[in-house]
Amino acid sequence: MAFGKKKRPINEENAVAVPQTGRSSHPFLPVSSYIPGCTQDIQLYRSLREAVPIIDAAIEKLVRLLGTFNVRAGSAAAQKSLERFLCEVDVGGTRRGISAFVSTFFGELLTCGTAVGEIVADSTKVRSLYIADLKDVSLSSGSSPLDVIVSARDERGCFSPVRYPGLILKCVHEPEPGKLYGTSLLKGLPFVTDILLEIYNTIRLNWERVGNVRFAVTYKPQNDTLDRAYAKERAQQVASEWSKAMEKNGPVKDFVAVGDVEIKAIGADNQILESEVPVRQMLEQIVAKLGIPPFLLGLSWSTTERMSSQQADILTSEIEAYRREVEPIIRQICKTHLLLSGLDCGFSIEWNDITLQDIAEIAKSEYYKAQSKKILTEAGGVKDENK
């Protein structure tokens, strides 16, 4: 077998296979978790998804738009085995099925630019599919630049090559020349996002200062000597009574003062800066980088029907490119299952249409072709009769 056999084969149906890329129990792993070129931006990109909902929504939309697929095997036995395996394979936690695995794997690929998974198997069957944390794996070049060595963190916190590299699933998104790690879809957004978050934070602070009304209570002593002598005590008394009158928890109270007391609302005359234009400028940059049409993200920007159709066509081509990136991983999983099951036959992967709109457009195109063919046939028949 290409992946090698263990010394003691496991034949039990409920046997447990341990992932090679699993996290170890070292208590001080965060101290040595930095891997040059890999983990320095991962936490940043995850923070971007958490801080800006529109980025997280765009990636979730792309994951859902990737769609589903069917696998067609060359024999009936292989087809039945593949269908059962792809529906019931354990992918961690309470999730099962290849669709759940591909969704999580693809989301990791878009966010981090690199996704590493593993086929957890023994000598008899594939037990589960596992997606590794990039902090626990490392990619390095072997004797050739085309040879990629996958290393996993051991119990001591050091990296060592995995024992069965043929079971590792690795995928990178648009890697730079000479680089092993891919490029995140969010590359280039930290600067723009920082400006956007600064605007949002300023809006919050301004509304706290202006929206939540604060009052300035000023007590002005009179010119008589007695009033000036007890100015401090009277000011403290005014402050105490004002605080009682403005208590949040309790009944509404009136404030009554004797003397020259002036009350003004702080910030009532200030005007909050208009944020619609700068926020839209930042959102335009984010949407342009993510490749999602604005109307799919709930942005009601002015657009024409023709422009929306063109944006949908561009998105379709983007989804097809993403499918080409993920398809080799699906092929590796299906091939491994067939080999371990003793079924050596070919298979093909058929992706479902991206949207119903595409189905309608394809049907309309086929209708126009048939109508054109019919017209040409009738015209040719009339011409032959005239001869």
Side-chain angles (χ1 to χ4, degrees):
M1 187 177 295
F3 305 125
K5 293 185 177 180
K6 297 183 179 180
K7 294 182 179 179
R8 187 173 60 184
I10 301 176
N11 298 321
E12 291 81 359
E13 184 67 23
N14 58 350
V16 177
V18 181
Q20 305 173 74
T21 54
R23 186 177 0 178
S24 68
S25 57
H26 193 285
F28 299 105
L29 285 181
V31 178
S32 58
S33 62
Y34 175 77
I35 304 174
C38 176
T39 60
Q40 56 183 353
D41 296 329
I42 292 177
Q43 189 59 39
L44 173 62
Y45 294 141
R46 297 190 192 279
S47 299
L48 290 182
R49 292 188 59 175
E50 183 178 358
V52 184
I54 197 172
I55 295 179
D56 187 62
I59 293 181
E60 292 294 335
K61 288 279 193 306
L62 289 175
V63 170
R64 287 177 173 82
L65 288 173
L66 187 66
T68 57
F69 57 90
N70 297 314
V71 180
R72 305 298 180 187
S75 65
Q79 179 69 30
K80 184 178 180 180
S81 177
L82 269 178
E83 289 179 354
R84 181 178 179 182
F85 166 73
L86 295 177
C87 290
E88 299 179 356
V89 60
D90 183 14
V91 296
T94 59
R95 307 185 70 189
R96 291 184 177 273
I98 191 66
S99 297
F101 174 82
V102 171
S103 298
T104 306
F105 190 88
F106 182 55
E108 186 79 357
L109 179 65
L110 293 180
T111 304
C112 305
T114 304
V116 178
E118 181 180 354
I119 303 173
V120 183
D122 52 31
S123 59
T124 60
K125 62 182 294 187
V126 174
R127 298 291 176 177
S128 61
L129 301 176
Y130 174 76
I131 298 179
D133 191 340
L134 290 181
K135 293 181 180 179
D136 298 325
V137 296
S138 174
L139 305 181
S140 58
S141 299
S143 57
S144 169
L146 301 178
D147 185 16
V148 180
I149 299 176
V150 181
S151 301
R153 195 189 300 272
D154 57 19
E155 293 294 333
R156 298 172 298 173
C158 301
F159 287 94
S160 57
V162 296
R163 187 176 180 181
Y164 304 108
L167 298 178
I168 302 299
L169 307 168
K170 52 183 181 295
C171 185
V172 294
H173 173 64
E174 297 182 357
E176 297 179 0
K179 302 294 184 180
L180 298 180
Y181 292 95
T183 303
S184 171
L185 182 65
L186 308 182
K187 182 181 179 181
L189 293 184
F191 175 72
V192 176
T193 304
D194 185 36
I195 298 176
L196 183 64
L197 293 178
E198 186 69 26
I199 295 175
Y200 286 158
N201 185 53
T202 304
I203 295 174
R204 179 180 67 87
L205 293 177
N206 286 337
W207 275 99
E208 284 183 355
R209 294 170 179 170
V210 180
N212 186 9
V213 183
R214 290 173 172 83
F215 297 92
V217 182
T218 306
Y219 169 67
K220 299 179 181 179
Q222 301 299 320
N223 294 328
D224 59 287
T225 306
L226 184 62
D227 200 5
R228 289 179 178 274
Y230 293 95
K232 182 179 180 180
E233 289 76 4
R234 291 180 179 179
Q236 291 177 350
Q237 186 179 8
V238 169
S240 177
E241 295 299 325
W242 178 260
S243 299
K244 293 179 181 180
M246 299 300 294
E247 285 181 353
K248 293 182 180 179
N249 299 326
V252 179
K253 300 178 182 179
D254 295 328
F255 174 73
V256 180
V258 178
D260 191 358
V261 179
E262 182 182 6
I263 301 175
K264 287 185 178 180
I266 300 177
D269 298 332
N270 294 336
Q271 184 177 4
I272 299 178
L273 293 176
E274 182 63 37
S275 61
E276 182 177 357
V277 174
V279 166
R280 174 165 176 172
Q281 290 176 347
M282 298 302 104
L283 290 179
E284 286 175 349
Q285 299 295 323
I286 294 176
V287 171
K289 186 66 173 65
L290 298 176
I292 292 289
F295 60 86
L296 289 182
L297 299 174
L299 300 175
S300 57
W301 294 343
S302 59
T303 180
T304 61
E305 182 178 356
R306 179 65 176 174
M307 184 182 300
S308 300
S309 177
Q310 293 174 349
Q311 291 174 347
D313 292 339
I314 295 175
L315 179 61
T316 301
S317 63
E318 291 285 340
I319 297 301
E320 291 176 351
Y322 290 140
R323 286 178 171 181
R324 289 192 294 268
E325 290 184 355
V326 178
E327 186 169 325
I329 302 299
I330 303 173
R331 288 186 174 277
Q332 184 178 351
I333 295 173
C334 295
K335 183 178 180 181
T336 303
H337 168 73
L338 292 176
L339 288 177
L340 293 178
S341 302
L343 301 171
D344 188 9
C345 66
F347 62 90
S348 62
I349 298 176
E350 300 177 357
W351 290 91
N352 296 330
D353 293 318
I354 296 175
T355 62
L356 294 178
Q357 182 179 0
D358 292 337
I359 299 177
E361 293 296 333
I362 293 174
K364 188 184 297 183
S365 176
E366 294 295 333
Y367 171 74
Y368 288 154
K369 288 181 181 179
Q371 193 175 27
S372 175
K373 184 178 180 180
K374 180 180 179 181
I375 294 174
L376 292 176
T377 303
E378 292 177 352
V382 171
K383 186 175 181 180
D384 292 339
E385 290 179 24
N386 291 334
K387 286 183 178 181

